[in-house]
Amino acid sequence: MSAAPEPRLEQQPYRWPVPPEGGWTADDLDRIPGLPPHTELIDGSLVFVSPQRKFHTRAMWLLESGLLAHLPADLDVDREMTVKLDRNNRPEPDMLVYRAEADTGADQTWYAPEDIVLAVEVVSPDSEAWDRETKPRKYAAAGIVHFWRVEQGPDGLPVVYVYELDPALKAYTPTGIHHNTLKLDVPFPLSIDLTAINQRRP
């Protein structure tokens, strides 16, 4: 299925936001008018997200359901909320687990990295470099202890690559590659059936 070109982009020149000297800042992301949904800020540059595939949507649904079923009372989970890592970086993990006390209400648009327990990225074809390299490196440098990278396997099922922060190196160390079942003891005990990605109803 293909999408027709956006008429308003064909009929008149589209005015992209022009960055100030030194690039955009994390606070600018809430003030720039007309940005597409899920715009991220990486190294002072705006990053726009393409429409997602069904695998991406289903993987997020599966992981969110699994996380919610096992979350301790002092933690919560959100989809697609930005994390203000520093002045010039405000990425948007596909999913994050955060300390419940960091919830400031319905108008909240970002979390601080010290509030994040787990960041999750579901890799898309157009964001492989960001999701596999750039964003994990920045999450680790900011001190986010747990990171999962989710990819579509040859059988169409999710494969979850699990990482934990080495605090001495400020870098992630791989701790496992999970097929069919994601069973972990950290950041809290959980077990998620990855084969259930398309099982929408009991």
Side-chain angles (χ1 to χ4, degrees), residues 19 75 146 178:
L75 300 178
H146 298 280
H178 299 261

Side-chain angles (χ1 to χ4, degrees), residues 89-106:
N89 288 280
R90 195 170 143 189
E92 181 182 281
D94 286 315
M95 193 163 300
L96 48 80
V97 174
Y98 62 95
R99 303 183 208 293
E101 63 190 18
D103 187 339
T104 63

Side-chain angles (χ1 to χ4, degrees), residues 49-62:
V49 179
S50 299
Q52 298 295 352
R53 299 175 302 149
K54 181 179 283 191
F55 170 79
H56 189 279
T57 300
R58 290 290 176 92
M60 287 178 58
W61 168 83
L62 177 69

Side-chain angles (χ1 to χ4, degrees), residues 112-180:
E114 57 268 25
D115 296 324
I116 306 304
V117 174
L118 165 70
V120 182
E121 294 290 353
V122 180
V123 177
S124 298
D126 65 338
S127 65
E128 288 180 354
W130 297 108
D131 295 339
R132 292 175 178 172
E133 300 170 21
T134 306
K135 292 169 78 174
R137 187 173 66 249
K138 291 182 179 297
Y139 296 152
I144 296 173
V145 177
H146 298 280
F147 173 71
W148 298 351
R149 191 182 85 242
V150 184
E151 308 239 6
Q152 184 176 9
D155 55 3
L157 297 178
V159 179
V160 182
Y161 298 80
V162 175
Y163 300 84
E164 190 167 340
L165 183 67
D166 181 331
L169 299 178
K170 283 285 187 179
Y172 286 126
T173 298
T175 61
I177 302 174
H178 299 261
H179 302 259
N180 297 322

